[in-house]
């Protein structure tokens, strides 16, 4: 039995034009523009990226730091910041990255549109992580980053980065606490450090990068230091006019 061949009859094609399509789509374009928020020129913004499930996926049992994951994130952070010349300052710890940018002039500038910044930058970080993880022979379990943005006044920029570093310091100390089976009810950094000393584990001998995270500035690239105790250095790297201390 021969297969039945059905023939589709196509009507004569309509007279489509690009101007017509653009005109017909205009009402939907207006809907898009509701979310097309522009950064204010000369205002400061911080974009914070967070790895989707990475803290859980890349944690190593009985280790305070997954060294290969840290190495991967360090290279990803450095490459990402160097690829984007509008980044004034950046900070990274674990799977989190925060960057400081300034609103650009010109509505068509990529760096002036929130939807472009969040989608393109998060995509770039995700691709960089996947590529770098493969290079470092890190088994890729998750390689996606989400992104959020906040407008920040100059006087709050230093405080923001000091606060993000506080999370980093506490997270690393908690990992050390859990690894060395110290009471989880102890949450103060000074007390955890004392308990670690009793077990001959010296916090200040740990690599500065693990303790303080990674700071990026076009001036000095990658640095690791405690922000609160070095505010003059932090202010210099961020390259703003004098801002209020933390």
């Amino acid at each position: 039995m021969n297969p039945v061949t059905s023939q589709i009859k196509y009507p004569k094609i309509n007279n489509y034009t690009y101007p017509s399509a653009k005109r017909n789509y205009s009402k939907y374009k207006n809907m898009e523009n509701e979310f097309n928020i522009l950064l204010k020129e000369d205002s400061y913004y911080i974009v914070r990226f967070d790895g989707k499930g990475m803290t859980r996926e890349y944690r190593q049992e009985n280790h305070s730091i997954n060294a290969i994951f840290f190495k991967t994130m360090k290279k990803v952070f450095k490459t990402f910041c160097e690829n984007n010349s509008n980044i004034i300052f950046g900070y990274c710890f674990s799977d989190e990255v925060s960057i400081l940018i300034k609103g650009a002039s010109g509505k068509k500038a990529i760096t002036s549109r929130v939807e472009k910044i969040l989608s393109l930058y998060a995509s770039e970080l995700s691709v960089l992580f996947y590529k770098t993880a493969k290079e470092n022979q890190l088994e890729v379990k998750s390689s996606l980053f989400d992104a959020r943005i906040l407008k920040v006044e100059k006087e709050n920029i230093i405080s923001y980065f000091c606060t993000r570093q506080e999370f980093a310091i506490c997270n690393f100390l908690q990992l050390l606490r859990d690894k060395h089976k110290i009471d989880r009810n102890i949450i103060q950094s000074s007390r955890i450090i004392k308990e670690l000393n009793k077990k001959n584990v010296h916090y200040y001998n740990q690599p500065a990068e693990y303790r303080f995270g990674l700071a990026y500035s076009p001036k000095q690239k990658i640095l690791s230091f405690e922000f609160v105790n070095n505010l003059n250095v932090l202010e210099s790297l961020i390259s703003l006019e004098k801002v209020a201390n933390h």
Side-chain angles (χ1 to χ4, degrees):
M1 184 176 179
N2 293 330
V4 177
T5 303
S6 62
Q7 292 185 351
I8 300 174
K9 293 182 179 180
Y10 293 98
K12 184 179 179 181
I13 192 165
N14 289 314
N15 188 23
Y16 298 111
T17 67
Y18 188 85
S20 172
K22 190 173 181 181
R23 184 173 59 252
N24 291 335
Y25 188 74
S26 62
K27 64 179 179 180
Y28 302 108
K29 187 66 177 177
N30 290 334
M31 293 178 189
E32 283 184 14
N33 288 337
E34 289 183 41
F35 301 95
N36 188 19
I37 302 168
L38 299 178
L39 302 187
K40 293 183 178 179
E41 187 177 348
D42 293 330
S43 292
Y44 291 98
Y45 296 85
I46 288 171
V47 186
R48 183 161 71 90
F49 307 91
D50 201 6
K52 185 178 181 294
M54 287 185 180
T55 302
R56 179 183 68 256
E57 294 286 354
Y58 293 103
R59 180 169 292 174
Q60 283 186 316
E61 195 73 24
N62 299 319
H63 287 78
S64 54
I65 286 286
N66 181 333
I68 300 178
F69 174 74
F70 186 93
K71 177 184 175 183
T72 299
M73 279 301 303
K74 181 177 181 179
K75 184 174 180 182
V76 168
F77 176 57
K78 182 176 185 290
T79 304
F80 175 74
C81 289
E82 289 179 347
N83 284 351
N84 294 284
S85 60
N86 63 318
I87 295 177
I88 298 168
F89 184 77
Y91 178 64
C92 173
F93 74 91
S94 185
D95 62 344
E96 182 183 301
V97 174
S98 291
I99 59 170
L100 175 66
I101 61 176
K102 198 173 185 181
S105 59
K107 291 186 177 181
K108 292 185 178 180
I110 287 177
T111 51
S112 71
R113 299 172 61 190
V114 170
E115 63 179 0
K116 289 286 187 181
I117 290 169
L118 298 187
S119 59
L120 292 178
Y121 280 8
S123 298
E124 183 180 351
L125 269 176
S126 300
V127 171
L128 277 172
F129 182 87
Y130 183 85
K131 179 177 177 288
T132 309
K134 288 291 188 181
E135 290 172 356
N136 290 341
Q137 298 183 326
L138 174 68
E139 182 184 355
V140 180
K141 299 176 181 179
S142 176
S143 63
L144 298 177
F145 289 83
D146 64 29
R148 66 215 73 181
I149 190 167
L150 63 147
K151 183 174 180 292
V152 60
E153 301 302 325
K154 281 195 297 185
E155 61 268 21
N156 293 324
I157 291 171
I158 296 295
S159 175
Y160 172 89
F161 285 106
C162 288
T163 300
R164 295 319 303 172
Q165 190 181 64
E166 186 174 359
F167 281 114
I169 292 169
C170 291
N171 285 345
F172 180 59
L173 277 169
Q174 287 169 11
L175 289 169
L176 286 172
R177 178 196 65 189
D178 295 346
K179 177 185 176 182
H180 296 284
K181 297 180 171 45
I182 294 170
D183 186 354
R184 284 194 163 200
N185 292 318
I186 299 175
I187 60 173
Q188 266 190 333
S189 59
S190 58
R191 287 196 60 198
I192 295 174
I193 291 170
K194 285 180 181 178
E195 293 300 317
L196 287 169
N197 285 339
K198 292 177 184 178
K199 294 179 177 284
N200 203 31
V201 179
H202 302 291
Y203 170 72
Y204 295 103
N205 289 341
Q206 303 291 322
E209 293 183 337
Y210 293 177
R211 288 184 285 132
F212 303 132
L214 305 166
Y216 169 88
S217 166
K219 288 183 174 183
Q220 300 217 17
K221 304 305 180 186
I222 299 292
L223 293 171
S224 296
F225 63 98
E226 189 174 0
F227 293 164
V228 171
N229 286 335
N230 296 277
L231 288 175
N232 59 327
V233 177
L234 184 59
E235 289 176 355
S236 171
L237 291 174
I238 290 179
S239 305
L240 301 177
E241 297 86 358
K242 190 72 174 177
V243 293
N245 287 347
H246 175 68

